Amino acid sequence: MILHSTFLFIGTTEVMFILFIVVMVFGADKIPDIARGMGKGMRTLRDATNDLKSEISKTTEKNGLNTTEHTKAFTDEVKKVKDELEETIGSVKRKL
């Protein structure tokens, strides 16, 4: 069995084809500028996400909310629903 590496459900061949098209459309000299712009955009997005997280943390601390309790309760509820779903799916699989 041959295993191929995948990235976002795209195989190596597809990635190479996409890169070939990008080079043909933009040219080899523009690719570093495009990559630099994408890197700056990703950094901006990461900084905005971190700012949002810190603002939420500050607000919850200011209002006296304990996020760990809410997170644990939410996680427990999700786990309970997941277990119930797996039990239901298991019984359906056995019937088939």
Side-chain angles (χ1 to χ4, degrees):
M1 177 194 309
I2 299 174
L3 297 176
H4 296 284
S5 63
T6 59
F7 176 72
L8 297 175
F9 305 108
I10 299 175
T12 307
T13 308
E14 289 88 359
V15 171
M16 295 302 286
F17 182 71
I18 291 170
L19 289 174
F20 177 74
I21 296 298
V22 168
V23 169
M24 296 308 286
V25 171
F26 296 108
D29 56 335
K30 297 288 184 184
I31 292 177
D33 294 334
I34 294 170
R36 193 174 300 116
M38 289 178 66
K40 286 180 182 179
M42 291 177 71
R43 184 181 316 128
T44 303
L45 181 64
R46 185 181 62 221
D47 291 343
T49 303
N50 289 338
D51 289 344
L52 185 61
K53 286 180 184 178
S54 67
E55 187 65 32
I56 289 171
S57 296
K58 288 178 186 177
T59 304
T60 55
E61 289 175 9
K62 180 181 175 183
N63 293 327
L65 296 174
N66 187 354
T67 56
T68 56
E69 290 177 8
H70 296 295
T71 303
K72 184 173 179 352
F74 180 74
T75 304
D76 292 342
E77 191 67 29
V78 168
K79 187 174 190 266
K80 187 172 80 173
V81 170
K82 180 181 173 186
D83 291 341
E84 290 174 2
L85 184 62
E86 286 178 356
E87 287 177 13
T88 304
I89 290 174
S91 65
V92 170
K93 284 182 180 178
R94 282 189 290 262
K95 290 179 183 178
L96 293 176

